[in-house]
Amino acid sequence: MENKREKIDKMSAEVKDSNPYSRLMALQKMGIVKDYERIRNFSAIIVGVGGVGSVCAEMLVRCGFGKLILYDYDKIELANMNRLFYTPDQIGMTKVEAAKETLAKINPDVEIEAYSMNICSNENYDQFVSKIKEGSLSKASVDLVISCVDNYAARMTINRICNELNQLWMESGVSENAMSGHIQFIIPGETACFGCAPPLVVAEKGENHKVKRDGVCAASLPTTMGIVAGLLAQNVLKYLLNFGEVSYLLSYNAMLNFFSNSELKPNPTCNDKNCVIRQESFNKQEQSTRKPKQEKNEVEIKPQITKEEEDEFKKYGICFDEDTTSHTVVKQKEINTENQSLDDLQKQLGSIFKKK
Amino acid sequence: MENKREKIDKMSAEVKDSNPYSRLMALQKMGIVKDYERIRNFSAIIVGVGGVGSVCAEMLVRCGFGKLILYDYDKIELANMNRLFYTPDQIGMTKVEAAKETLAKINPDVEIEAYSMNICSNENYDQFVSKIKEGSLSKASVDLVISCVDNYAARMTINRICNELNQLWMESGVSENAMSGHIQFIIPGETACFGCAPPLVVAEKGENHKVKRDGVCAASLPTTMGIVAGLLAQNVLKYLLNFGEVSYLLSYNAMLNFFSNSELKPNPTCNDKNCVIRQESFNKQEQSTRKPKQEKNEVEIKPQITKEEEDEFKKYGICFDEDTTSHTVVKQKEINTENQSLDDLQKQLGSIFKKK
């Protein structure tokens, strides 16, 4: 009986109980991912390790991610226990300190840095920028900044810095009533930035606005936050390991079990001058596309159903045709944010939050 | 600094750091749930506490669920560390023993029973049946059986017993390649049972079929399993606390970010005689509907956007109309499984797994 997880030098696909990577390396054998072990080279910054960020971090750590750099300035309270990850014995610790301890215990192969600081403060600007620029395992820029914050100011800070540094990032948010959430993948110049058209569900003003309003605290559920964290981490894996269709804006409505997938185009009159510069550069083709190419032929999904199983299904009156068992990549809905057509934008944005 | 979570007699909505229920009770103030504290009366059996069941259990425990009865016969291995919940220091423990310990630490208000046994074994039949019939906090039948197993035999066992006992249950599953999953809510006689038309993604024969095939182990990801666990626990909350639209069959395709929502009607020629008896009883109206009624007027969702915020949004060219900010409940797609129209069934089932 082992009680401590030792570091592992090389990921193995061997099928044995003591191999923590066997079921991840199996993604290769099953034709989903071409080279799973590349995950050990990736690094990301996670800003905000609350109900979404901590769970997203845990998922990436369990997947064997290379390096995570965590930012948060909150301490753990009993009032946080309605979301996954933190436990009552950690009350009073800073979230990043507790997260680092838990994550290192789960998978010591992952390099974790933790900073209990507010990225919105002027005095932390240089530190945060240098971590984006030189935080990877090879001292280059990180692969992604992952935003799991709960306020508008922090999102706008991340947006401004990522536009400035031309840094790819993913945004996430859950509504105040815990009934909806979204993830958004932002490629400066190529997709809308957070300032081009902030999604309705998170756009709020001011730091403390959402926390307390007339003695009413925001509602939250481990379900909605866990689902959003899962969709976010899944999108990180899909983008970095190049499988499946990456989401650019994926919204979840818990009341209606409704999910919508779309893409916001950048706004040529965005208030952020660096966003406009990135757009011009992309449009002049000085900057080529950074969207992952679908290596469709190389990682095509095989139907998981054998001839024998198919016969069994026929007893239930269920048969298969090409459309049912093979996957095809369908283009996502694109939404234009150019402000010369505001009425259109309204209608298009509105349709994201409506039932098909 | 508190380090142990004490039991709490009554759920409070008071907004303070030391209240673990403030953000759940806020669901009432926000108009989502009518009487949140009812959650303390509910009890459920979770069969299978692996990658989906353990996370579903943790979510319900953090929500303050009344009582959970856990079944599993596996022990924890390092090879399980690629999913959420278990940690390397628990290796060698039975899953239910470790789960009970962790869950009790997170929320001692929840009553937890744990049985390390295989519900498919004949010698465990009486014990399992008696827990369904008398396992609730008031010694009546549990509110739900939640299936989070990884094999066909266990699903068919649960299905058979629930048809026999007229017990409502929820099914869940994740595919062998970790790229799709589903949840299904089964009301005997009123919806399809698992035997009427098992969803494609989990229908497998035999106990060990999926575990090892020519040295290839099934792939799994904490993301897909976490998302399915979240959708499952969300559906449990929605059904028991009566908010939003309950799902009867919700499928997730990770490659395409595609979610489909539908409902399978019972098959009048189902092989399970108790299913047919329940259908007849329901059709003769001896058994009234057990689907939750949408208390639409009472728990109507208020738009979370103030006039002030609306003005701010206008700066981005985003405006609101009724359709964008209010939620309406849309009827789910119904799929008929009557076997006199097999061609139709194929087409209808096929469409679940296709992109809209």
Side-chain angles (χ1 to χ4, degrees):
Chain A
M1 197 190 294
E2 280 178 317
N3 283 321
K4 195 174 171 294
R5 158 84 155 77
E6 302 297 332
K7 285 200 183 198
I8 290 171
D9 278 343
K10 196 169 156 49
M11 281 188 176
S12 152
E14 196 185 347
V15 180
K16 56 176 184 178
D17 290 342
S18 59
N19 178 7
Y21 296 122
S22 59
R23 285 164 195 181
L24 296 163
M25 293 294 277
L27 291 166
Q28 279 182 213
K29 292 194 187 170
M30 294 212 157
I32 306 297
V33 178
K34 207 174 163 189
D35 178 7
Y36 187 83
E37 204 168 357
R38 284 196 305 144
I39 199 165
R40 300 192 100 165
N41 304 328
F42 298 126
S43 46
I45 289 175
I46 299 184
V47 187
V49 285
V52 173
S54 63
V55 179
C56 179
E58 181 176 345
M59 287 174 173
L60 296 177
V61 160
R62 288 184 183 266
C63 285
F65 211 77
K67 179 177 174 183
L68 290 181
I69 305 172
L70 313 177
Y71 286 89
D72 203 303
Y73 60 91
D74 260 358
K75 287 191 172 177
I76 300 163
E77 304 292 352
L78 212 44
N80 305 133
M81 292 304 128
N82 69 320
R83 282 92 86 184
L84 298 181
F85 194 75
Y86 297 111
T87 50
D89 55 299
Q90 296 174 319
I91 289 165
M93 288 175 80
T94 66
K95 285 185 178 173
V96 291
E97 178 192 0
K100 186 179 173 173
E101 194 177 281
T102 302
L103 297 173
K105 193 177 77 170
I106 290 171
N107 190 348
D109 296 335
V110 182
E111 192 171 318
I112 297 164
E113 287 180 21
Y115 300 101
S116 189
M117 57 166 73
N118 182 352
I119 59 132
C120 295
S121 300
N122 286 336
E123 69 264 30
N124 296 328
Y125 175 86
D126 289 342
Q127 195 274 1
F128 184 56
V129 165
S130 77
K131 286 294 166 190
I132 296 177
K133 288 166 78 174
E134 298 154 17
S136 86
L137 289 167
S138 59
K139 314 290 177 210
S141 64
V142 294
D143 296 287
L144 279 175
V145 173
I146 302 170
S147 166
C148 304
V149 300
D150 62 356
N151 65 84
Y152 184 69
R155 288 185 175 89
M156 286 304 272
T157 300
I158 296 167
N159 188 60
R160 186 167 42 79
I161 293 174
C162 288
N163 276 334
E164 192 183 320
L165 302 179
N166 205 10
Q167 171 67 48
L168 278 66
W169 66 292
M170 288 191 195
E171 210 307 272
S172 65
V174 173
S175 69
E176 261 191 37
N177 66 2
M179 287 297 111
S180 60
H182 75 275
I183 63 165
Q184 187 176 0
F185 182 19
I186 297 172
I187 306 176
E190 200 169 346
T191 69
C193 83
F194 187 73
C196 284
L200 311 186
V201 283
V202 295
E204 288 159 2
K205 290 168 308 157
E207 193 75 84
N208 302 309
H209 174 72
K210 53 137 270 323
V211 184
K212 282 166 195 171
R213 183 200 281 166
D214 304 321
V216 179
C217 75
S220 64
L221 280 169
T223 47
T224 307
M225 288 192 157
I227 292 165
V228 170
L231 295 172
L232 179 62
Q234 192 87 293
N235 212 40
V236 170
L237 296 176
K238 287 161 83 175
Y239 164 62
L240 292 174
L241 294 172
N242 199 17
F243 66 93
E245 189 180 354
V246 170
S247 290
Y248 295 95
L249 179 58
L250 179 59
S251 304
Y252 165 53
N253 178 318
M255 293 296 276
L256 300 176
N257 305 308
F258 174 54
F259 298 82
S260 105
N261 212 359
S262 54
E263 185 181 336
L264 297 171
K265 284 191 176 175
N267 181 349
T269 59
C270 180
N271 286 330
D272 187 318
K273 70 173 195 306
N274 284 307
C275 173
V276 177
I277 291 169
R278 301 296 166 205
Q279 289 181 52
E280 285 164 359
S281 165
F282 180 73
N283 292 337
K284 285 185 205 151
Q285 300 188 306
E286 292 163 9
Q287 170 90 58
S288 61
T289 181
R290 287 180 284 179
K291 290 183 181 174
K293 288 172 199 66
Q294 298 294 338
E295 296 183 30
K296 214 186 151 213
N297 293 327
E298 294 180 63
V299 291
E300 196 177 15
I301 307 212
K302 299 283 194 316
Q304 290 296 313
I305 298 141
T306 63
K307 183 75 190 70
E308 200 184 15
E309 286 164 334
E310 198 174 322
D311 291 342
E312 184 70 10
F313 284 130
K314 282 185 182 148
K315 294 185 195 162
Y316 298 102
I318 301 167
C319 294
F320 299 90
D321 60 2
E322 269 303 299
D323 287 342
T324 315
T325 54
S326 71
H327 299 251
T328 50
V329 176
V330 183
K331 186 128 186 53
Q332 298 179 84
K333 187 176 167 191
E334 279 193 357
I335 295 180
N336 208 312
T337 62
E338 293 192 41
N339 71 351
Q340 49 264 49
S341 58
L342 285 184
D343 283 347
D344 269 3
L345 175 60
Q346 282 165 233
K347 284 187 197 121
Q348 291 177 92
L349 271 169
S351 72
I352 300 178
F353 299 92
K354 269 190 283 182
K355 182 92 180 170
K356 63 207 138 179
Chain B
M1 194 191 295
E2 280 180 315
N3 283 321
K4 193 173 172 299
R5 157 85 156 78
E6 302 296 330
K7 284 200 183 199
I8 290 171
D9 277 344
K10 196 172 156 46
M11 282 188 175
S12 151
E14 196 185 349
V15 180
K16 58 176 185 178
D17 289 343
S18 60
N19 178 8
Y21 296 121
S22 58
R23 285 165 195 179
L24 296 163
M25 293 293 278
L27 290 165
Q28 278 183 212
K29 291 192 187 171
M30 295 212 156
I32 307 297
V33 178
K34 208 174 164 189
D35 177 8
Y36 187 83
E37 203 169 358
R38 283 195 306 143
I39 198 165
R40 301 192 99 164
N41 303 328
F42 298 128
S43 45
I45 288 174
I46 299 185
V47 187
V49 285
V52 173
S54 64
V55 179
C56 178
E58 181 177 347
M59 288 173 172
L60 295 178
V61 159
R62 288 185 183 266
C63 285
F65 211 78
K67 178 177 175 183
L68 290 180
I69 304 171
L70 313 177
Y71 285 88
D72 202 303
Y73 60 93
D74 260 358
K75 285 189 173 179
I76 300 163
E77 304 290 353
L78 212 44
N80 304 135
M81 293 303 129
N82 69 320
R83 282 93 86 182
L84 298 180
F85 195 75
Y86 297 111
T87 50
D89 56 298
Q90 296 173 318
I91 288 165
M93 288 174 80
T94 66
K95 286 185 179 172
V96 291
E97 177 193 3
K100 185 179 174 175
E101 193 177 281
T102 302
L103 297 173
K105 193 177 77 169
I106 290 170
N107 190 347
D109 296 335
V110 182
E111 191 170 319
I112 297 165
E113 287 179 19
Y115 300 101
S116 190
M117 56 166 74
N118 182 353
I119 58 133
C120 294
S121 299
N122 285 337
E123 69 264 31
N124 295 328
Y125 175 86
D126 288 342
Q127 195 275 0
F128 184 57
V129 165
S130 78
K131 285 296 165 186
I132 296 177
K133 288 167 79 174
E134 298 154 18
S136 86
L137 288 167
S138 59
K139 314 290 178 210
S141 64
V142 294
D143 296 287
L144 279 175
V145 173
I146 302 170
S147 165
C148 304
V149 299
D150 63 356
N151 65 83
Y152 185 70
R155 288 185 176 90
M156 287 304 273
T157 300
I158 296 167
N159 188 60
R160 186 168 42 80
I161 293 174
C162 287
N163 277 334
E164 192 183 318
L165 301 179
N166 205 10
Q167 171 66 48
L168 277 66
W169 66 291
M170 288 192 195
E171 211 306 275
S172 66
V174 173
S175 68
E176 260 190 37
N177 66 2
M179 287 297 112
S180 60
H182 74 276
I183 63 164
Q184 186 176 0
F185 182 18
I186 297 172
I187 306 177
E190 198 169 350
T191 70
C193 82
F194 187 73
C196 284
L200 310 188
V201 284
V202 295
E204 286 158 2
K205 289 169 308 156
E207 191 79 82
N208 302 309
H209 176 70
K210 53 137 267 323
V211 183
K212 282 165 196 173
R213 184 199 281 167
D214 304 319
V216 179
C217 74
S220 64
L221 279 169
T223 48
T224 306
M225 287 193 157
I227 292 165
V228 170
L231 295 172
L232 179 62
Q234 193 87 294
N235 212 41
V236 170
L237 297 176
K238 287 161 83 175
Y239 165 62
L240 292 174
L241 294 171
N242 199 15
F243 66 93
E245 189 180 352
V246 169
S247 290
Y248 294 95
L249 178 58
L250 180 59
S251 303
Y252 165 52
N253 178 318
M255 294 295 276
L256 300 176
N257 305 307
F258 173 54
F259 298 83
S260 103
N261 213 359
S262 54
E263 184 182 336
L264 297 171
K265 283 190 178 176
N267 181 347
T269 59
C270 179
N271 286 330
D272 187 317
K273 72 173 194 303
N274 285 307
C275 173
V276 178
I277 291 169
R278 301 298 166 205
Q279 289 181 52
E280 286 165 357
S281 164
F282 180 72
N283 292 337
K284 284 185 206 150
Q285 299 188 306
E286 290 163 9
Q287 170 92 58
S288 61
T289 180
R290 287 179 286 179
K291 291 184 180 174
K293 287 171 199 67
Q294 299 295 337
E295 296 185 29
K296 215 184 151 216
N297 294 327
E298 295 180 61
V299 292
E300 197 176 15
I301 308 215
K302 298 283 193 318
Q304 289 298 311
I305 298 141
T306 63
K307 183 76 191 71
E308 200 185 16
E309 287 164 332
E310 197 173 323
D311 291 342
E312 184 70 9
F313 284 128
K314 282 186 183 148
K315 293 184 195 163
Y316 299 101
I318 301 168
C319 295
F320 298 90
D321 60 1
E322 271 302 301
D323 287 340
T324 316
T325 53
S326 71
H327 299 250
T328 50
V329 176
V330 183
K331 186 127 186 55
Q332 299 178 85
K333 187 176 165 193
E334 279 193 358
I335 295 179
N336 208 312
T337 62
E338 293 193 40
N339 70 352
Q340 50 262 51
S341 57
L342 284 184
D343 282 349
D344 268 5
L345 174 60
Q346 282 165 233
K347 282 185 199 123
Q348 292 178 92
L349 270 170
S351 72
I352 301 178
F353 298 92
K354 270 190 283 184
K355 181 95 178 170
K356 64 206 138 177

